[in-house]
């Protein structure tokens, strides 16, 4: 679906659910997941599947759980080796 | 849902109604709505965003516990309003299709020290001695833990609980009033400032930025903008601003229906944290000091809350009388002119609509309301 404009630079590996994702250093988690063909980042509190929309931190549609913290905007977090990213289902939990 | 557009100019050049209400916040809107229900023709005039507008910045609680200490009529009016709220909000909901989000789980005031717990217990027993606390009870830590959705912080000693406390979405309430006033044939006239009111034969001539209205009765419910208009009608509305700050977190999964002093979860999932009381004049900004105090207390109550991000905060100005109690009064010099203001316009909305409004239409405030006259602020009245 999405292709990188240019490839190059050192790569970084992290996990999305049970998959290993290879990303280019410096890109966001959202960009890396989209480039890997992932199109469902979360399900909204009302049920439907959601994916990134704005990629600039404004729409909050790209929310995922990163290293156990829910409601993180995937487009605002840079990839880093060993991150553990998970789909978020519905609203985040407090407790 | 009615889709009528609010008029931007007066419906006719010499527009005449039974009751004109100045101020389209929660107090004026509830009275205008209730006056229509009581059979009067009504115009509701509202200035706009240049004014301070508490109804658009408040916490949305129908809060009964602890209210009216030392003044049984205020305690009774508050309790009556909470009793009227379910039927009242259902009626508004059916008519407008807007769910104002009313729910009455009862409210807890958490106490973080033995002193705080003793203070709450003293308030409850004084209210009971004066005629009723609406079932306010003191609970120990274990009892509170069984009622709350999240683990309690170590410092929580207990709480006072009142089954009458409730909450609603105050913006939805305001919108429902405005829509239903129009749907029932009332005139809602926004973006229109009342500049002067003068007594004429049979009523009042109201000069507005959009032209003149003639009304049999006029109600000044203009919040912090009330004092000048009131004085010209022989009424006294000595109100001052008291700032409250509110913080709102990101949306979270529902924690179950619960309500605390200064903490509630909206239907949409946000946690609202709030309610400072600050004497800072007309400054409706925010200040980090207050935010820190509020969030510290929220986190001391429920440590898990610290994980949530705060997405918005704001300050808004309460409308406060010298003793914190409402003012309802008919002018002696100009009968037919009324004053109405209070600092709990959400809580009292049902009473304003179903108790205060019909007596204004009838032209006579019964004794239970006349006791809220501003004469109490003058030594001569005693
Ligand atoms: C932070 C905060 C939290 C609160 N929490 C709660 C709560 O949980 N529960 C509760 O019961 N209450 C709460 N309150 C109080 C509640 O918001 C107010 O009691 C209520 O909104 C007051 O309504 P009002 O109509 O008197 O005033 P306002 O909302 O201020 O409305 C007055 C209106 O008059 C209009 N106006 C002014 N001058 C003129 C003029 N010359 N001509 C025409 N129109 C004019 C203005 O445009 C304005 O819309 C809170 C208040 C604050 C600030
Ligand atoms: S894609 Fe819009 S905030 Fe991340």
């Amino acid at each position: 679906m999405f292709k990188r404009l240019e490839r190059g630079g050192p790569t970084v590996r992290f996990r999305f659910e049970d998959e290993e994702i290879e990303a280019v250093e410096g890109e966001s988690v959202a960009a890396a997941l989209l480039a890997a063909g992932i199109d469902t980042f979360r399900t909204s509190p009302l049920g439907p599947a959601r994916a990134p929309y704005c990629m600039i931190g404004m729409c909050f549609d790209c929310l995922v759980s990163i290293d156990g913290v829910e409601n993180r905007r995937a487009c605002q977090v840079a990839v880093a080796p060993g991150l553990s990213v998970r789909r978020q289902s519905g609203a985040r939990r407090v407790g | 849902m009615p889709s009528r557009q609010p008029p931007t100019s007066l419906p006719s050049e010499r527009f005449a109604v039974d009751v004109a209400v100045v101020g389209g916040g929660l107090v004026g809107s509830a009275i205008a709505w209730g006056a229509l229900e009581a059979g009067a023709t009504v115009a509701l005039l509202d200035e706009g965003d240049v004014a301070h507008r508490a109804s658009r910045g408040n916490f949305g609680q129908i809060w009964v516990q602890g209210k009216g200490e030392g003044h049984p009529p205020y305690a009774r009016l508050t309790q009556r309003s909470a009793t009227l709220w379910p039927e009242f909000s259902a009626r508004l909901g059916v008519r407008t299709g807007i769910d104002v989000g009313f729910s009455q789980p009862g409210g807890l005031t958490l106490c973080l020290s033995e002193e705080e717990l003793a203070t709450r217990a003293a308030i409850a027993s004084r209210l009971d001695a004066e005629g009723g606390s609406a079932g306010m009870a003191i609970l120990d830590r274990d009892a509170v833990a069984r009622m709350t959705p999240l683990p309690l912080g170590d410092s929580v000693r207990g709480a006072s609980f009142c089954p009458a406390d409730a909450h609603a979405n105050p913006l939805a309430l305001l919108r429902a009033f405005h829509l239903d006033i129009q749907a029932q044939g009332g005139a809602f006239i926004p973006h229109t400032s009342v500049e002067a009111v003068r007594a004429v034969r049979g009523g009042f001539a109201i000069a507005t930025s959009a032209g003149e209205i003639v009304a049999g009765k006029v109600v000044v419910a203009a919040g912090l903008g009330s004092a000048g208009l009131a004085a010209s009608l022989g009424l006294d509305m000595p109100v001052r601003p008291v700032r409250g700050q509110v913080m709102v977190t990101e949306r979270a999964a529902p924690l179950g229906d619960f309500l605390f002093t200064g903490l509630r979860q909206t239907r949409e999932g946000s946690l609202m944290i709030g309610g400072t009381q600050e004497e800072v004049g007309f400054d409706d900004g925010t200040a980090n000091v207050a935010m820190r105090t509020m969030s510290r207390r929220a986190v001391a109550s429920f440590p898990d809350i610290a994980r949530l991000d705060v997405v918005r905060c704001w300050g808004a100005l309460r409308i406060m009388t010298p003793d914190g109690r409402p003012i309802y009064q008919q002018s002696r010099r100009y009968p037919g002119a009324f004053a109405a203001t209070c600092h709990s316009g959400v809580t009292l909305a049902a009473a304003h609509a179903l108790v205060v409004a019909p007596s204004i239409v009838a032209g006579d405030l019964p004794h239970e309301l006349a006791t809220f006259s501003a004469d109490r602020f003058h030594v001569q009245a005693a």
Side-chain angles (χ1 to χ4, degrees):
Chain A
M1 205 165 56
F2 289 98
K3 280 197 310 207
R4 287 189 174 80
L5 288 175
E6 56 196 72
R7 249 199 103 74
T11 58
V12 172
R13 288 168 190 282
F14 68 96
R15 294 199 80 72
F16 176 70
E17 297 289 331
D18 296 321
E19 253 176 87
E20 191 168 66
I21 307 282
E22 191 175 278
V24 177
E25 199 176 272
E27 67 189 7
S28 68
V29 169
L33 292 179
L34 289 173
I38 286 153
D39 58 8
T40 297
F41 279 47
R42 65 172 180 122
T43 50
S44 91
L46 301 177
R50 313 299 293 178
Y53 176 63
C54 71
M55 296 296 277
I56 55 168
M58 300 306 283
C59 72
F60 288 68
D61 254 337
C62 62
L63 300 178
V64 289
S65 159
I66 300 182
D67 290 342
V69 180
E70 292 180 295
N71 261 13
R72 301 211 56 198
R73 285 169 294 170
C75 71
Q76 297 300 297
V77 179
V79 290
L83 283 186
S84 168
V85 181
R86 295 201 154 267
R87 283 203 176 91
Q88 186 170 323
S89 101
R92 74 164 293 171
R93 279 150 288 268
V94 186
Chain B
M1 210 194 295
S3 61
R4 226 189 290 175
Q5 286 296 312
T8 46
S9 58
L10 298 186
S12 65
E13 205 153 282
R14 268 192 82 73
F15 183 49
V17 289
D18 297 331
V19 180
V21 180
V22 186
L26 283 172
V27 173
S29 300
I31 291 174
W33 185 83
L36 269 167
E37 294 287 290
T41 57
V42 170
L44 174 63
L45 296 138
D46 191 37
E47 184 173 28
D49 269 340
V50 293
H52 291 285
R53 305 169 105 184
S55 302
R56 286 160 168 84
N58 70 72
F59 209 70
Q61 288 181 330
I62 292 110
W63 202 253
V64 175
Q65 69 170 277
K67 286 250 180 76
E69 207 194 323
H71 193 66
Y74 184 30
R76 278 196 297 274
L77 188 69
T78 300
Q79 293 170 19
R80 185 152 171 215
S81 197
T83 308
L84 290 168
W85 246 98
E87 204 274 319
F88 149 80
S89 58
R91 203 193 300 176
L92 257 182
V94 168
R95 293 254 200 84
T96 59
I98 294 177
D99 178 2
V100 303
F102 175 76
S103 119
Q104 197 159 27
L108 287 155
T109 299
L110 292 183
C111 298
L112 304 189
S113 67
E114 295 299 338
E115 289 83 348
E116 285 182 22
L117 205 53
T119 306
R120 299 304 294 171
I123 292 172
S125 56
R126 278 197 298 269
L127 276 166
D128 277 327
E130 284 169 11
S133 68
M136 196 170 157
I138 301 300
L139 307 178
D140 65 16
R141 182 185 162 92
D142 289 344
V144 175
R146 282 194 295 275
M147 293 173 74
T148 55
L150 293 169
L152 290 173
D154 292 338
S155 53
V156 176
R157 299 269 66 86
S160 56
F161 175 73
C162 175
D165 294 333
H167 59 158
N169 177 338
L171 297 176
L173 173 63
L174 193 60
R175 173 95 181 121
F177 274 142
H178 291 169
L179 278 180
D180 204 39
I181 285 168
Q182 295 167 79
Q184 305 302 318
F188 170 53
I189 307 169
H191 314 298
T192 301
S193 164
V194 170
E195 282 147 8
V197 182
R198 80 199 142 77
V200 294
R201 188 187 299 270
F204 299 89
I206 298 160
T208 80
S209 51
E212 192 170 270
I213 291 185
V214 180
K217 300 190 174 72
V218 62
V219 183
V220 182
L224 291 169
S226 296
L229 286 172
S232 72
L233 291 166
L235 290 162
D236 188 21
M237 296 178 79
V239 288
R240 71 175 196 283
V242 174
R243 184 169 73 184
Q245 295 184 55
V246 177
M247 301 163 74
V248 174
T249 72
E250 60 186 323
R251 291 178 181 184
L255 291 165
D257 205 9
F258 65 87
L259 200 55
F260 302 95
T261 301
L263 181 69
R264 75 182 189 99
Q265 186 173 34
T266 66
R267 279 261 166 104
E268 295 74 20
S270 310
L271 294 196
M272 291 182 77
I273 301 169
T276 53
Q277 307 256 356
E278 302 163 82
E279 301 280 350
V280 289
F282 283 90
D283 173 2
D284 63 1
T286 56
N288 287 342
V289 180
M291 301 285 166
R292 198 156 43 220
T293 313
M294 281 194 290
S295 40
R296 280 212 181 118
R297 187 162 177 108
V299 170
S301 305
F302 299 110
D304 286 341
I305 290 178
R307 299 167 56 185
L308 292 176
D309 283 337
V310 171
V311 294
R312 273 192 301 287
C313 48
W314 67 81
L317 302 178
R318 290 187 190 78
I319 299 129
M320 199 61 73
T321 60
D323 60 6
R325 294 167 198 152
I327 296 175
Y328 310 114
Q329 183 161 19
Q330 176 162 208
S331 171
R332 266 187 298 272
R333 189 149 21 112
Y334 302 106
F338 293 83
T341 191
C342 72
H343 83 75
S344 289
V346 185
T347 307
L348 293 174
H352 289 157
L354 302 176
V355 180
V356 175
S359 28
I360 288 176
V361 172
D364 187 26
L365 295 181
H367 176 73
E368 60 180 291
L369 294 177
T371 168
F372 293 100
S373 145
D375 291 350
R376 66 183 187 268
F377 302 122
H378 305 289
V379 192
Q380 293 90 320

